[in-house]
Amino acid sequence: MEILVIYQDEYIICVAKPNNVLVHHAHHSRNVADEKSLLQLLDEQIGGKFYPIHRLDRKTSGIILLAKETHFVSKFQDLFTANEIQKTYYGVVRGFSPESKIIDSPVKGRDANVHKEALTHLRTLEQVTLDIPVKPYDSSRYSLVELSPKAGKNASIACAL
């Protein structure tokens, strides 16, 4: 599998991560240890070590930033924290979403009794009705949405559409 390199300079490399690819192997991903991670694929394709600046879940495709040196990671993470770098997600959701919405839905942390603040801005870009029946309806409705996480974990995106 070839990874598309979108941009690179002396500090970072920006690549398109395909869905169903782990960024790196970790203890919680031991059930997919026989599959190559993004870091392994890049090492084979380009050569060298890269260090993730942010996360994308295995099932999520999208652009990911990787540092070329470990000491660059915290500097880029500081830019995310200071909102100098913004994440934007695009998704297709079933049903008609509102024109805009602020999703303010705390998410559970590793400790199920602790909830973390999460805030995401949603904007609907398009809506479509398809003549494909989905019981009990005669047609299917979908929305293309733009999601901008502002605080907390990105899991807030999936919570309350």
Side-chain angles (χ1 to χ4, degrees), residues 94 133-139:
R94 207 155 148 224
V134 176
K135 289 184 180 182
Y137 307 105
D138 295 332
S139 60

Side-chain angles (χ1 to χ4, degrees), residues 17-25 28-37 55-62:
K17 184 190 95 54
N19 80 324
N20 218 21
V21 172
L22 289 167
V23 173
H24 57 79
H25 288 285
H28 66 273
S29 62
R30 63 192 171 279
N31 59 333
V32 289
D34 57 333
E35 297 175 19
K36 291 184 181 176
S37 70
R55 291 188 43 226
L56 280 180
D57 291 340
R58 176 181 181 205
K59 298 284 186 182
T60 302
S61 63

